[in-house]
Amino acid sequence: MTSSSNLQNLRVAIVGAGPAGIYAGNILTGAVQAAGGVVAIDLFESLPAPYGLIRYGVAPDHPRIKGIVNSLHEMLDAGTTRFIGNVEVGRDIALDELRERYDAVILATGAIRDAALDIPGIDLPGSFGAADFVAWFDGHPDVPTEWPLDQREVAVIGNGNVALDVARMLAKHAVDLRSTEIADNVLAGLEASAVTDVHVFGRRGPADIKFTPIELRELGEVPNVDIVVHDEDFAHLEGVVPANNQLKVMLRILDSWRTREQTGAGRRLHLHFYHSPVEVLGEDRGGPVQVSGLRFERTEPTGEGSGVRGTGEFREIAVQQVYRAVGYYGTPVVDAPFDEHAGVVPNVEGRVRNASRTGDAEARVIPGLYATGWIKRGPVGLIGHTKSDAMETIAHLVADVEAGAVPARTVDGDVLQLLDEREVEYTTWDGWLALDAHERGLGATHEHTRERVKVVPRDEQVRISRSGALVL
């Protein structure tokens, strides 16, 4: 039977209140209780509200995915994990101060920044990262409340679900978003949008898309938007055997769009394959040089797996805005090791190592410091992977505690006392329940009835959360 001698008074801090952090807290509670121990967990979040990318990274017209919030709510509402929001580690409290007050610290900060796309012109005005646009349409408090949607032709670079979300939100008519939880400022911005054509570019072919069938099918059901595909992009599919049923379904959907009648809809969504971006083009419109187009090299399959090679044929397509959706990049924690190349915290199965590169053979494990989620393994995988990922990290944490391999905490007392002394306006679980009720109340009384209307400004979120009162 597992010994519980070192698990009777365990205190753990988790940095990041997205799915990775919440799952880690829930799994840790179960593991310690199963071993006959007791654990107190504090969940720190830099934003006033919990749920991370589920709240700020899922498009508002995808309520079925946001249903995950229900299970996350149950985990936090159980009272075994204490939520402490609006606290940024490295600004309001140092990582070392956490390590003094807790037996272990788990980093679960995820990845909210865009991966780089190193081509000329990528930094021109009118070129954006998809993550920033997603944060805007999801009502993130730390991005501007307005977004420039004053151009007709826009491009999205990428062939994953984020690219599809961005393209769909750009092409969708605002009237079809009125029943969602979209913030009022975002709805107003989309209602004024000048966009008529959205072009999505992938470096590989239709058989190598990273979408999911549901996402792709939904794209074809957007009202008053025509889908445009090009026969030349399907020339290499003859004889290709889909690797799985999902891909088989998606290829069938794409193929059906080849013969789909154009309706003359108000907007068009163009899907381009075998286009590798080489330069963002710009022109002087009487001020700073602005995006005017994209230059691509046409690619073709190498015949080895999903590899492609350049054909030497270059094309230019006129667009006035560019959104790169080529992946996310990890969010480092001040004073924690970070691999700038890989965008992760260097670790071995969740045990953080004192290295600047993940593959550093000389690096050593830092006792009592762990990682889980995208900051541990990179921005890949779905929610199910996050659970199994947390299980691996927690298993090592519990084993290390039982083996006496974590340093004893040196400072007693409630961390909230320290935050109070510093006049940090932290939020709590009760505060989130008040904000949640407030947003739902706004939705119920809105002219277009919604599940909720998001409160965007950080100071307003904090005020409502800390007042603990329903304000309508």
Side-chain angles (χ1 to χ4, degrees):
M1 182 175 179
T2 303
S3 168
S4 62
S5 59
N6 295 327
L7 296 173
Q8 291 305 314
N9 187 28
L10 188 63
R11 291 174 59 184
V12 175
I14 301 175
V15 183
I22 297 173
Y23 284 134
N26 188 60
I27 292 169
L28 176 60
T29 297
V32 172
Q33 290 178 348
V38 178
V39 60
I41 302 171
D42 284 343
L43 183 65
F44 292 87
E45 170 58 50
S46 63
L47 295 169
Y51 307 140
L53 281 179
I54 298 298
R55 179 171 167 90
Y56 295 115
V58 177
D61 60 346
H62 273 176
R64 60 178 180 78
I65 297 178
K66 289 183 179 291
I68 297 168
V69 166
N70 294 333
S71 62
L72 299 179
H73 175 99
E74 291 177 3
M75 294 176 194
L76 289 181
D77 203 44
T80 55
T81 297
R82 184 170 64 169
F83 173 72
I84 305 174
N86 203 41
V87 175
E88 184 172 329
V89 176
R91 180 193 65 193
D92 300 311
I93 188 169
L95 179 60
D96 283 346
E97 291 176 317
L98 288 184
R99 299 193 66 205
E100 291 171 347
R101 288 164 172 78
Y102 296 89
D103 299 293
V105 176
I106 303 173
L107 306 179
T109 50
I112 61 172
R113 297 184 292 172
D114 285 285
L117 179 61
D118 189 16
I119 60 174
I122 196 63
D123 295 323
L124 282 174
S127 176
F128 306 99
D132 292 334
F133 183 59
V134 170
W136 174 75
F137 68 59
D138 269 328
H140 195 292
D142 295 338
V143 299
T145 55
E146 296 183 355
W147 192 273
L149 294 171
D150 54 347
Q151 303 298 327
R152 293 171 57 86
E153 299 163 307
V154 301
V156 180
I157 301 173
N159 256 182
N161 280 339
V162 174
L164 221 56
D165 275 353
V166 169
R168 190 182 66 256
M169 289 295 292
L170 286 167
K172 202 165 190 174
H173 296 271
V175 66
D176 298 313
L177 292 163
R178 287 177 177 173
S179 62
T180 72
E181 64 174 40
I182 195 169
D184 283 339
N185 66 292
V186 178
L187 185 61
L190 293 173
E191 285 174 340
S193 172
V195 172
T196 59
D197 289 84
V198 180
H199 297 264
V200 183
F201 296 95
R203 190 168 63 89
R204 296 183 176 89
D208 298 302
I209 54 178
K210 303 300 181 183
F211 312 141
T212 57
I214 293 176
E215 294 266 359
L216 190 63
R217 188 177 290 112
E218 285 179 349
L219 194 68
E221 297 170 353
V222 178
N224 197 24
V225 175
D226 277 338
I227 303 292
V228 181
V229 295
H230 304 273
D231 285 340
E232 64 174 348
D233 291 338
F234 294 83
H236 297 290
L237 287 183
E238 186 175 346
V240 171
V241 178
N244 51 57
N245 286 333
Q246 278 199 338
L247 181 56
K248 183 178 181 180
V249 170
M250 289 191 288
L251 288 178
R252 187 185 305 132
I253 293 170
L254 288 171
D255 191 59
S256 72
W257 290 347
R258 295 171 64 184
T259 56
R260 185 170 172 171
E261 183 179 351
Q262 299 297 298
T263 66
R267 290 179 179 166
R268 289 157 296 282
L269 204 159
H270 310 253
L271 299 181
H272 305 267
F273 301 97
Y274 297 117
H275 279 71
S276 180
V278 296
E279 183 179 2
V280 178
L281 306 175
E283 68 178 11
D284 187 342
R285 300 173 192 162
V289 174
Q290 304 280 327
V291 170
S292 64
L294 274 168
R295 189 166 191 252
F296 295 91
E297 182 177 13
R298 183 78 175 163
T299 63
E300 64 182 7
T302 62
E304 299 178 3
S306 60
V308 293
R309 62 188 168 220
T311 63
E313 176 190 351
F314 292 88
R315 298 179 179 180
E316 294 182 2
I317 297 178
V319 294
Q320 297 81 50
Q321 283 189 344
V322 174
Y323 295 81
R324 68 181 186 279
V326 295
Y328 283 106
Y329 184 81
T331 306
V333 174
V334 175
D335 294 330
F338 189 70
D339 184 336
E340 294 284 352
H341 176 72
V344 299
V345 170
N347 70 92
V348 178
E349 296 182 348
R351 292 181 171 115
V352 175
R353 304 166 75 230
N354 61 347
S356 59
R357 278 296 181 100
T358 302
D360 185 354
E362 301 299 320
R364 297 290 181 265
V365 166
I366 300 175
L369 190 58
Y370 302 85
T372 191
W374 281 3
I375 198 63
K376 168 188 173 183
R377 57 184 161 83
V380 293
L382 304 174
I383 294 296
H385 297 94
T386 301
K387 291 180 181 178
S388 59
D389 193 49
M391 291 178 67
E392 178 183 67
T393 295
I394 297 306
H396 286 310
L397 188 159
V398 172
D400 291 345
V401 171
E402 291 182 322
V406 299
R409 59 182 185 268
T410 58
V411 176
D412 288 323
D414 195 336
V415 72
L416 296 186
Q417 181 179 350
L418 176 64
L419 296 177
D420 284 333
E421 291 172 357
R422 294 177 177 175
E423 299 183 341
V424 177
E425 292 188 307
Y426 58 85
T427 58
T428 64
W429 179 245
D430 285 341
W432 159 246
L433 294 179
L435 177 59
D436 181 48
H438 177 81
E439 291 183 340
R440 291 179 184 274
L442 291 177
T445 59
H446 200 277
E447 60 176 321
H448 308 294
T449 302
R450 311 179 194 171
E451 178 184 348
R452 74 171 66 238
V453 174
K454 279 185 180 177
V455 173
V456 175
R458 180 185 285 265
D459 58 354
E460 189 175 350
Q461 290 187 45
V462 172
R463 178 184 62 80
I464 295 168
S465 297
R466 287 177 65 84
S467 71
L470 180 64
V471 182
L472 292 178

